[in-house]
Amino acid sequence: MKKFLSWLARVAGTALSLVLVIVLLPYASKWAAKLIPDLSGAAVNTSVTLSQKLSQSARLECVQVDVNGVLDSTTNALFIGTVQSVQIAYTYHASIGIDLTKVQIRTEGNTVVLELPAMEVLSDSLTPTEIQRSDFWYPLTDERRQQLLNDEQEARREKHLAEVSSSEEGWDYVINALNSTIAAWSDIDQRITFRYEHP
């Protein structure tokens, strides 16, 4: 009998709890609305201000790449073999980031969502530091030397951009840099929540 009464008390308690939750739910949402301010209007205003500022801003540098490399090139001729051998040591520097004018902005309630564009190489340079060549049969011209450097620079550019843009660490650099930039703008409402989306 005691077990039955205990079970009956548990059932009654559970039913009473459910009734109280259903009855008090509308009031709870009103209390929560009073405690949590509606910033949707402020979010819209912030998104407009942010859009204007980003469109006026330059590109945002987020990652720097500095490497030393060596390019090797050989040219062969039929029946003779190698007629030109070139080895160029160089330093490569690149600045990788995003174009702020390409950021897309939308609001979701109290949140401003920033859709970030793909990363790009904002600037880069490849500087030769030493050139070794064996080109008695086929002298290395300035035009060919420059073409070798241009090809190597393009290969480096694609390699490092792919490495940075495919890693979450690279996007963390972008988001941190953008957060710092936005925080420095005094007319941006800092109560607003910002969310970032990237490719």
Side-chain angles (χ1 to χ4, degrees):
M1 187 67 177
K2 287 182 179 179
K3 289 183 179 180
F4 175 73
L5 291 175
S6 176
W7 173 80
L8 190 61
R10 281 200 305 270
V11 170
T14 304
L16 184 61
S17 298
L18 288 173
V19 170
L20 286 174
V21 167
I22 294 170
V23 170
L24 294 177
L25 192 58
Y27 299 103
S29 61
K30 290 179 182 177
W31 295 331
K34 290 180 180 178
L35 293 174
I36 303 172
D38 181 10
L39 298 174
S40 56
V44 172
N45 292 336
T46 298
S47 69
V48 172
T49 304
L50 197 57
S51 178
Q52 293 171 345
K53 284 191 165 293
L54 291 176
S55 65
Q56 295 168 358
S57 300
R59 296 174 175 184
L60 182 66
E61 179 185 289
C62 307
V63 180
Q64 287 194 353
V65 175
D66 290 288
V67 296
N68 297 317
V70 177
L71 74 85
D72 289 294
S73 174
T74 57
T75 302
N76 298 315
L78 192 63
F79 304 122
I80 298 177
T82 301
V83 294
Q84 182 186 88
S85 176
V86 180
Q87 188 177 75
I88 304 177
Y90 62 83
T91 59
Y92 176 76
H93 172 78
S95 170
I96 298 175
I98 60 172
D99 186 344
L100 293 177
T101 63
K102 297 178 182 177
V103 176
Q104 299 294 316
I105 301 174
R106 70 176 191 273
T107 59
E108 293 181 1
N110 295 351
T111 302
V112 174
V113 182
L114 292 90
E115 297 178 23
L116 307 181
M119 287 191 215
E120 56 188 85
V121 175
L122 304 179
S123 64
D124 70 339
S125 62
L126 188 143
T127 307
T129 56
E130 184 182 358
I131 300 177
Q132 295 180 358
R133 63 192 194 184
S134 175
D135 58 351
F136 176 77
W137 295 102
Y138 185 49
L140 177 67
T141 63
D142 290 341
E143 290 79 8
R144 174 161 170 74
R145 170 181 168 277
Q146 190 58 51
Q147 186 60 52
L148 289 172
L149 293 173
N150 290 346
D151 292 345
E152 185 72 9
Q153 182 173 350
E154 181 64 28
R156 279 286 180 181
R157 180 182 300 139
E158 292 179 3
K159 175 181 184 294
H160 295 295
L161 179 59
E163 288 176 350
V164 173
S165 61
S166 64
S167 71
E168 280 302 318
E169 185 181 7
W171 283 106
D172 287 342
Y173 286 127
V174 172
I175 291 169
N176 290 336
L178 193 50
N179 267 332
S180 299
T181 301
I182 292 173
W185 290 333
S186 58
D187 51 349
I188 297 296
D189 193 334
Q190 300 301 328
R191 298 175 302 165
I192 300 300
T193 301
F194 296 97
R195 192 175 82 237
Y196 301 96
E197 296 178 354
H198 61 77

